[in-house]
C-alpha cells in the first residue's frame, strides 16, 4: 500500500475518499467546508432536467484527494467510505 510519513517521520497511510452514501447524505456541507483539496461538490439539481432535488454531496475530483479523512470526521451521517491504495 501507499505509505508516507508525517513531518516527525511517523508512518502515515492515506485513506482516500472512495464513495459517499448519497441516500444517507443530508447535504449539510460540513465535509465540503473542511476539504482543502476541491474534491467534493454539492449536487442540488437533476442533471437531466435541471429540477431541484434533495441535495447530496458528490465526489467531483477524486484525483485531488490526499486521504486525510477530515470529511469523514465531520460528517454527522457517516456517509463516507475510504480506501487505501496500492503503491
Ligand atoms: S479525505 Fe481529505 S482531501 Fe480527501 S475528500 Fe476527504 S477531506 Fe478532502
Ligand atoms: S457531511 Fe455528510 S451529511 Fe453532510 S454533506 Fe457531507 S456527506 Fe452529506
Amino acid at each position: 500500500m501507499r505509505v508516507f510519513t508525517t513531518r516527525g517521520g511517523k508512518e502515515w497511510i492515506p485513506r482516500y475518499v472512495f464513495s459517499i452514501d448519497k441516500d444517507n447524505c443530508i447535504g449539510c456541507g460540513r465535509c465540503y467546508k473542511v476539504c482543502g483539496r476541491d474534491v467534493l461538490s454539492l449536487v442540488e439539481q437533476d442533471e437531466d432536467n435541471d429540477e431541484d432535488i434533495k441535495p447530496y454531496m458528490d465526489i467531483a475530483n477524486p484525483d485531488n484527494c490526499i486521504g486525510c479523512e477530515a470529511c469523514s470526521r465531520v460528517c454527522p451521517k457517516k456517509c463516507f467510505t475510504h480506501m487505501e491504495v496500492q503503491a
Side-chain angles (χ1 to χ4, degrees):
M1 76 191 64
R2 203 175 285 176
V3 179
F4 295 94
T5 57
T6 66
R7 178 177 172 178
K10 291 181 182 168
E11 180 179 285
W12 177 58
I13 300 168
R15 299 188 70 240
Y16 303 103
V17 68
F18 176 68
S19 66
I20 301 173
D21 186 339
K22 168 182 167 180
D23 295 329
N24 204 30
C25 176
I26 56 173
C28 68
R30 292 184 192 182
C31 54
Y32 181 87
K33 287 179 187 165
V34 298
C35 179
R37 305 297 300 186
D38 193 27
V39 176
L40 307 172
S41 176
L42 189 66
V43 179
E44 298 177 282
Q45 289 188 325
D46 189 313
E47 60 184 27
D48 292 331
N49 55 24
D50 288 344
E51 282 186 14
D52 289 348
I53 56 172
K54 179 177 98 59
Y56 66 92
M57 199 59 66
D58 196 16
I59 303 169
N61 302 303
D63 288 350
N64 286 357
C65 182
I66 59 171
C68 67
E69 295 182 90
C71 48
S72 282
R73 286 195 289 276
V74 298
C75 178
K77 301 292 285 182
K78 302 191 186 317
C79 296
F80 283 86
T81 303
H82 293 259
M83 65 176 184
E84 296 165 5
V85 170
Q86 297 303 312

